[in-house]
Amino acid sequence: MEKNDNSSWDLLTDALVEILVRVPPNARRRLRLVSRHWRELIDHRTGTDMRSRSKIIAVSDKGLGLMSVIDILTPGSPRRLLWQTDIATARRYSMMSIAGTCNGLVCLCDDHTPGGAITVANPSTGEALPLPPLPTPSADVHLSSNSSWNWNQTYSFGYDHTTRRYKVVHVPCTFDDRPDIVHVFTLGEASWRAVHTGGTDARCSPGTSCLAQVDGTVYWLTMDAGKIMSFDLIHERVMCTEPLPVPAMASTYHLAKVHGSLGVAVGDNDSVTVWVLEGERWRRRYVLEVERLRRQKTWMTRELLVHGDYFLTFTPQSWNGTVVLYRHNLSENSGSQDGVVQVKHRDRGEELTYFSCFIYQTFSYVETKEPLGLYNDVLVHN
């Protein structure tokens, strides 16, 4: 086709764009390497923002229906609601908890349903895919409103790059009769599959920061004195990670994603130290002075602790009742020693935005129009 045949060329280009917008964002970025023409189309016609990983989802106060998308590279930029659908749908999804995000898809967990009903949704297209219930005794357990457990604490959501399939993972908990089985649901299949741990008791520890999904691997704290287990989405193997080089109680652990690696924040009387798993070794990467946390009543964000070049915290404001989300530029932080970045108490950070209530969860986010119909015909269209 000659490029000077404008009408035919535009028709082919429009068709190519319609195909590209349905490709997962991470694969779409790789397709920029095909040619200059493809790169221009992806950059300017598909809504693929190469800075899109600057966006996060912040969930403020579980159950209040407030899920917002925030650009952390642009302080003061207006945040928007995650669900741009009708009010009833937005209210229904926002009353759920987020179990994970991946390539613009959001894995939701209904904590009010026994076992935690899972729905995978695309906020950009309004499509939603409800999953069948877990084939375990925990699927019949009702949690009381004052329980320390929430079902979303036992689920994770990730992407298998080899099969190009999304997987939802349920790690065993105290309500499961088989503590040595991890359950996996692959989008496009009909049912959950059981993966044995080899006899290891892999029951997860209760807590809001005891599970993290990092680059195709799910990590979780067990009930066994802070031991960290891992589940590889590609090979579907359960393994124990290298123990942290410092003793700590599991209750002081905080699992989070840090620069594409597993991070564990461990607190003591003086500071919060963030250890990062690099290969099979732990490296002390950040130190946050506890004096700052106490003096300013500052909290670290959950699930997503470090995003890009920024450490994320939030602080309640007693004078007006709001909660302010801050970013701290790690590359500019003055207190650095032996490759360890120290966030001093005088570093107040830069204000990103504010909320009217407590920030419950934070997740990385990128918009996509990838259709969920590729994985199942039983969809909810909003």
Side-chain angles (χ1 to χ4, degrees), residues 56-59 301-304 312 359-364:
I56 64 172
I57 296 174
V59 183
T301 55
R302 299 171 181 173
E303 281 82 22
L304 192 64
L312 303 177
I359 297 177
Y360 177 67
Q361 296 172 301
T362 52
F363 297 91
S364 58

Side-chain angles (χ1 to χ4, degrees), residues 260-276:
S261 300
L262 174 65
V264 179
V266 181
D268 57 30
N269 291 329
D270 300 316
S271 63
V272 174
T273 301
V274 179
W275 295 82
V276 176

